Amino acid sequence: MSTPTPRAARKAVIPVAGMGTRFLPATKAVPKELLPVVDRPALQYIVEEAARAGLAEVLMVTGRNKAAIEDFFDRTPELETALEKKGDAGRLAAVQESTDVAQVHFVRQGEARGLGHAVLQAAAFVGDEPFAVLLGDDLIDARDHLLEQMLAVQAEHGGSVIALLDVGRENIDKYGAVAIQEDTQQGVVTITGLVEKPPVDEAPSSLAIIGRYVLAPEVFAVLRETAPGRGGEIQLTDALATLVERGHPLHGVVFDGRRYDTGDKLDYLKAVIRLASEREDLGPALRSWLTEFVADLPAEGASQA
């Protein structure tokens, strides 16, 4: 009997229940995922990434005070009518784009119990198919097709696939880290172990897990039995480590492209500047101003009047 062809991933899960404390007081009233990166929320970039990769159904795992996210991805008939009457086709298209880019669903995470618990809320939505998880703080440049590559690796090897980034051993204690063995395929590794935020001197490598996953549905059964770990939360990293121990195939795609942590203030500013500077409508004037601004900065160490 021939082995059945693995089912391709068709759905994406985006956890968005975090409180966004690093951006207080702005996130007191505005979900961090809706903070604009130029003129679109970071979350819209994430949904567009999923849609480009062929994942047309998206589930957002929300929490309290996140109703504005549902409103953003809903239709706004009054606004659309007003723009249409004004003949403002450009802004009308931009408003409709957020609604039309994918079919977006929502489920509430009743209590903040970690990323693993958030992913577990997607079990009914996903069913018995592989699925992608995209974290809303990680912005991957649209020109770097990381998710597409991960989906291709999962389709070829089965099991689960996670995105990795070499952050240097000195920074690995801020991330989940992996132990690996090299594969013959360039940029793809087999993962033999995982640990969440290890001490620098105990980290198995300098390869950190970043916010893109393509997971087999078997992860749900493991998450249901995973005890709270670091921070008293149910860690997705712990569940993946259990799967590896049980012989579940887990591969990593080592990313070397453009990524922004929009949950970090400095990286958020870098994302805004880089993306704006590359736009035809904003780039020339912004780059000119940046050149003048940097030239006018006082020399390092010089006294200021």
Side-chain angles (χ1 to χ4, degrees):
M1 179 182 289
S2 61
T3 303
T5 303
R7 300 175 75 173
R10 301 180 300 127
K11 298 177 180 179
V13 175
I14 306 177
V16 291
M19 292 186 290
T21 52
R22 286 187 286 181
F23 277 86
L24 285 170
T27 48
K28 213 178 133 182
V30 180
K32 65 175 180 176
E33 297 84 4
L34 294 185
L35 295 175
V37 180
V38 190
D39 53 6
R40 283 184 292 164
L43 187 54
Q44 185 173 341
Y45 288 90
I46 306 294
V47 175
E48 289 170 352
E49 178 187 352
R52 278 195 310 272
L55 308 177
E57 284 197 75
V58 175
L59 177 73
M60 296 194 185
V61 183
T62 70
R64 290 180 184 84
N65 304 317
K66 294 297 181 98
I69 293 177
E70 296 188 38
D71 291 342
F72 180 79
F73 287 96
D74 199 359
R75 293 229 84 102
T76 51
E78 300 85 356
L79 176 58
E80 292 177 28
T81 299
L83 291 171
E84 191 172 11
K85 286 181 178 178
K86 289 173 62 177
D88 197 337
R91 287 191 176 89
L92 177 61
V95 167
Q96 292 174 335
E97 186 178 8
S98 63
T99 306
D100 298 337
V101 65
Q103 186 174 359
V104 182
H105 310 266
F106 299 89
V107 67
R108 179 72 68 89
Q109 183 184 13
E111 51 185 325
R113 296 179 59 196
L115 177 58
H117 183 260
V119 171
L120 189 54
Q121 308 313 302
F125 171 77
V126 168
D128 61 353
E129 303 176 12
F131 64 104
V133 175
L134 297 84
L135 301 192
D137 283 348
D138 267 334
L139 200 61
I140 304 296
D141 195 290
R143 294 163 293 188
D144 297 317
H145 297 167
L146 172 61
L147 184 57
E148 289 90 336
Q149 184 182 0
M150 294 174 65
L151 291 166
V153 170
Q154 197 279 332
E156 179 181 355
H157 296 286
S160 298
V161 181
I162 61 179
L164 303 173
L165 182 70
D166 193 331
V167 297
R169 187 166 288 272
E170 68 277 9
N171 297 311
I172 196 63
D173 58 342
K174 303 178 183 69
Y175 299 85
V178 298
I180 65 165
Q181 64 183 39
E182 297 288 343
D183 279 14
T184 55
Q185 186 177 349
Q186 186 175 7
V188 178
V189 295
T190 296
I191 294 170
T192 58
L194 306 91
V195 59
E196 181 67 21
K197 296 182 179 177
V200 169
D201 57 352
E202 297 178 16
S205 74
S206 59
L207 289 175
I209 304 166
I210 59 173
R212 296 295 181 273
Y213 307 77
V214 180
L215 302 177
E218 287 82 359
V219 73
F220 293 123
V222 177
L223 283 169
R224 290 188 184 99
E225 63 186 47
T226 299
R230 179 175 285 273
E233 298 181 332
I234 297 174
Q235 300 287 352
L236 180 58
T237 302
D238 293 343
L240 292 174
T242 299
L243 283 171
V244 169
E245 291 168 4
R246 296 177 181 178
H248 178 93
L250 180 62
H251 289 83
V253 173
V254 182
F255 183 59
D256 60 359
R258 291 152 287 203
R259 165 193 176 254
Y260 311 101
D261 178 2
T262 55
D264 175 81
K265 291 178 185 177
L266 181 58
D267 255 21
Y268 172 81
L269 292 171
K270 289 178 181 178
V272 172
I273 292 170
R274 179 181 288 274
L275 294 175
S277 68
E278 294 175 350
R279 282 178 42 159
E280 291 184 5
D281 58 336
L282 298 172
L286 178 59
R287 291 193 299 269
S288 176
W289 178 82
L290 284 170
T291 301
E292 295 174 6
F293 175 74
V294 172
D296 289 342
L297 286 176
E300 187 174 348
S303 59
Q304 297 188 33

